[in-house]
Amino acid sequence: MLQDRCDYFILAYESPSFSAAAAKVPMSPQGFTKAIRSMERELGVSLFTMDEDGSRVATPYAHEFYEYAKRVRAERNLLAAAFDRIASSGYVELRIACSLGIPGFLGCDFLQDYLKTHADVSISLCEMPDALCEAALREGLYDMALTVVPCDEEFETRLLYTSPVWYWVRRDDPLGDCESIGPEDLAGRRIAMPGDDFKCYRALSDWFARAGANPPEIVKYSEIFWIYEFVLHGRGVGFTLPHLACLEVFKGNEDVRAVPLRGFTWGFGASRLKTRTPRSLKSLSQVSLLKLH
């Protein structure tokens, strides 16, 4: 397909008439003539004039532009050939959406360590709330996603990691001496946790709806440090996870401890739409960076 205007000009220059050139595209002679006149206006010169006998004549500007257009076409062909070589060499470009919190669990170097040994792979990763992550994958904006499970049936998901859900409580809270708590223990309490766009919020809300129990008052924080501060200052209990609660920054104050919540888990997997095969990814097993050791 002739997509570059330089191709139109080369046809015009090498053909006996605009009509003959237009027939090779194909397009109407009027449309082809309009394209050439538009190019002349952009360049600020006349490329073709009419001789006394009505013949079309290329101007000196056209002769010069013809050499330029041929170089442009040759460079474009070289570029297309280079792209073909890259595609046939196994080069992979992945766009990955990621639920908030997963990169923090995997560590800041997990992509860099992978890319050091896979020079033929390029990865762009964007972190976002759970619901937005799945929506972006559903709309085809990303090739795959690291999603908090469970995921909708429309996704093919390989589970990579799962852990219990913990809650921070103050030791002077009645729950502070418990080895574990149930969701019923949270009835009527004030809880700090991520909000509507996160599955931990929906899972807890769904439990109270099914049980018909008195729901807690939920204070929505997306930042884990704010949740910890909420608990530390005695304003309620707060959502956390084992790998977060074990960080040194949260272990320095003995007034707060993390207690497992029975019946709830948090985990993530690698997901893609079942109806869409990514351009450079035929199966999730090809992405060894997502294999956790």
Side-chain angles (χ1 to χ4, degrees), residues 53-264:
D53 61 358
S55 301
R56 191 195 60 185
V57 179
T59 68
Y61 296 113
H63 299 320
E64 190 67 29
F65 190 69
Y66 179 63
E67 297 303 320
Y68 166 81
K70 287 193 298 182
R71 291 194 298 270
V72 169
R73 184 170 64 179
E75 290 293 331
R76 191 183 61 221
N77 290 340
L78 288 174
L79 181 62
F83 282 180
D84 289 340
R85 286 195 303 273
I86 292 172
S88 63
S89 70
Y91 176 79
V92 175
E93 181 180 0
L94 288 176
R95 302 163 301 170
I96 303 178
C98 186
S99 289
L100 283 170
I102 295 177
F105 169 80
L106 294 173
C108 59
D109 295 329
F110 85 100
L111 280 181
Q112 287 76 2
D113 292 343
Y114 173 79
L115 293 173
K116 286 178 183 177
T117 56
H118 295 78
D120 58 345
V121 177
S122 172
I123 296 175
S124 59
L125 184 145
C126 185
E127 196 174 1
M128 59 193 77
D130 301 347
L132 184 57
C133 180
E134 292 188 5
L137 181 61
R138 185 179 295 111
E139 293 172 7
L141 302 178
Y142 292 87
D143 298 307
M144 60 178 299
L146 297 177
T147 52
V148 172
V149 293
C151 295
D152 291 342
E153 290 295 322
E154 63 188 309
F155 299 116
E156 175 192 345
T157 301
R158 171 191 282 185
L159 180 65
L160 298 175
Y161 174 81
T162 186
S163 79
V165 169
W166 288 3
Y167 270 78
W168 274 315
V169 299
R170 281 187 59 91
R171 289 186 181 274
D172 55 8
D173 187 285
L175 301 179
D177 293 328
C178 298
E179 291 305 313
S180 67
I181 58 177
E184 65 277 3
D185 296 314
L186 302 178
R189 301 293 300 263
R190 296 186 78 223
I191 301 175
M193 65 187 309
D196 311 56
D197 288 334
F198 294 85
K199 292 186 178 179
C200 58
Y201 174 93
R202 297 205 301 268
L204 188 66
S205 298
D206 290 346
W207 186 92
F208 278 95
R210 291 193 305 271
N214 182 28
E217 176 190 347
I218 296 179
V219 180
K220 301 171 186 178
Y221 288 126
S222 59
E223 174 54 61
I224 198 67
F225 288 95
W226 297 346
I227 295 177
Y228 181 81
E229 286 289 314
F230 178 90
V231 178
L232 179 62
H233 294 293
R235 295 198 289 268
V237 300
F239 172 89
T240 189
L241 296 167
H243 68 275
L244 297 173
C246 292
L247 293 174
E248 287 298 324
V249 68
F250 297 128
K251 293 172 62 177
N253 195 315
E254 295 185 356
D255 291 337
V256 176
R257 65 184 294 253
V259 181
L261 179 66
R262 296 188 301 272
F264 284 76

